[in-house]
Amino acid sequence: MQEVYTPAQIAERLNVSTTTLRRYEEQGLIPEVLRSAGNHRIYTTVHIQAFITIRSLLAGYEIPVVYEVMRRIKEGSVTEALWLINHQLYQVQEEKQRVEGLLTMIRQADFRSYKNRKLTEAMTIGKVAELAGVNPSAIRHWEKEGLITSTRHPESGYRLFSVPELRKILVISSLRKTIYYIENLRDILQDMEAFRLSKVDRSFQVALEKLNQKLTTQYRGIAELMAYIQCLS
């Protein structure tokens, strides 16, 4: 006879509320739940593993991705779900390469090109946004926060950014996910301007360490995901 569990038992085990468990169920993330004669939910070991998988994945992946992965598995589209996870791993790999590349770039005294694009001392917000891989609105926000500065075209009034400011934008765009506070970013930019590169190096090393931690967390989620898929088979 299959062992069954109450919502309260699972909630206590996972240190979450029963409301959270119901939300996962309502979002279609777990297998169908049977009810007792008294209309109480009956969870099985498969449901426990589903909940464990959700919590583990949420520690390393974005909520929409986790929800979509769990829904795909519920529908029987396991391979499609695994490709979604694989894409997330690829993005972490890309981010790591970006951070490492920018650290090399910062150490360069002669910074005249980036991504095989020649740089000038009067680049539009569109060009620097494209080079940094961010939205122009993000650059405007950073300027408002005093992290970067621009000049204005004498006729059109458009923002223009110099090479040193592009360098700052590239640093902000790379560290914003790991260095959360504006003041911390401001300190890093000041260190970079003053050529205190050892401090800048340390900030990038912290970013790389956090990416390493994220990768480990993501693989823990994958381990639980594979255990869940095995339970369903």
Side-chain angles (χ1 to χ4, degrees):
M1 182 176 179
Q2 189 175 26
E3 193 170 358
V4 297
Y5 306 87
T6 67
Q9 287 174 322
I10 297 180
E12 181 179 2
R13 175 172 174 175
L14 300 183
N15 195 28
V16 298
S17 67
T18 54
T19 300
T20 297
L21 300 181
R22 286 197 299 273
R23 183 171 71 250
Y24 294 155
E25 181 182 344
E26 291 165 358
Q27 289 290 329
L29 310 186
I30 65 172
E32 296 301 326
V33 180
L34 299 177
R35 300 278 184 146
S36 68
N39 201 34
H40 297 297
R41 287 175 171 82
I42 301 175
Y43 291 131
T44 66
T45 53
V46 172
H47 295 108
I48 288 182
Q49 186 58 45
F51 287 129
I52 291 173
T53 300
I54 293 169
R55 299 301 297 177
S56 185
L57 289 175
L58 286 173
Y61 300 89
E62 297 176 0
I63 293 175
V65 174
V66 174
Y67 280 26
E68 184 62 22
V69 165
M70 296 302 292
R71 291 189 185 111
R72 294 283 182 93
I73 291 176
K74 182 180 179 181
E75 295 167 359
S77 303
V78 174
T79 303
E80 288 81 355
L82 293 178
W83 277 115
L84 287 173
I85 290 294
N86 187 72
H87 181 65
Q88 294 292 302
L89 293 171
Y90 173 71
Q91 288 183 323
V92 172
Q93 175 71 26
E94 279 194 320
E95 190 172 351
K96 178 177 180 289
Q97 292 173 340
R98 174 185 170 85
V99 171
E100 290 173 336
L102 282 170
L103 180 56
T104 300
M105 175 271 295
I106 288 171
R107 293 166 174 164
Q108 293 177 353
D110 188 10
F111 182 50
R112 297 182 183 181
S113 65
Y114 183 68
K115 291 184 176 180
N116 298 319
R117 299 277 296 276
K118 186 176 180 180
L119 306 179
T120 67
E121 288 299 324
M123 293 173 283
T124 65
I125 191 170
K127 181 174 181 178
V128 295
E130 179 187 355
L131 289 169
V134 298
N135 292 323
S137 59
I139 294 175
R140 287 191 287 268
H141 173 69
W142 298 334
E143 184 175 10
K144 183 179 179 181
E145 292 291 341
L147 297 175
I148 57 176
T149 58
S150 68
T151 58
R152 295 283 181 166
H153 191 282
E155 297 178 1
S156 66
Y158 291 158
R159 287 177 171 85
L160 297 175
F161 295 89
S162 65
V163 172
E165 294 306 309
L166 170 62
R167 195 193 300 255
K168 292 180 185 178
I169 291 169
L170 291 170
V171 170
I172 297 167
S173 67
S174 294
L175 297 184
R176 71 189 190 279
K177 294 181 180 179
T178 52
I179 308 295
Y180 297 103
Y181 300 107
I182 292 294
E183 289 305 316
N184 290 356
L185 285 170
R186 186 174 286 113
D187 290 342
I188 292 168
L189 296 177
Q190 289 174 352
D191 289 335
M192 187 173 67
E193 285 187 306
F195 292 98
R196 293 188 288 265
L197 296 184
S198 62
K199 291 186 177 181
V200 178
D201 277 12
R202 178 55 190 160
S203 297
F204 273 81
Q205 291 305 321
V206 169
L208 289 171
E209 287 168 9
K210 289 189 176 182
L211 285 172
N212 290 339
Q213 292 168 5
K214 182 175 182 178
L215 183 67
T216 300
T217 301
Q218 287 183 327
Y219 269 99
R220 289 196 187 105
I222 290 173
E224 297 297 348
L225 178 63
M226 297 309 294
Y228 175 48
I229 292 171
Q230 184 65 34
C231 284
L232 294 172
S233 62

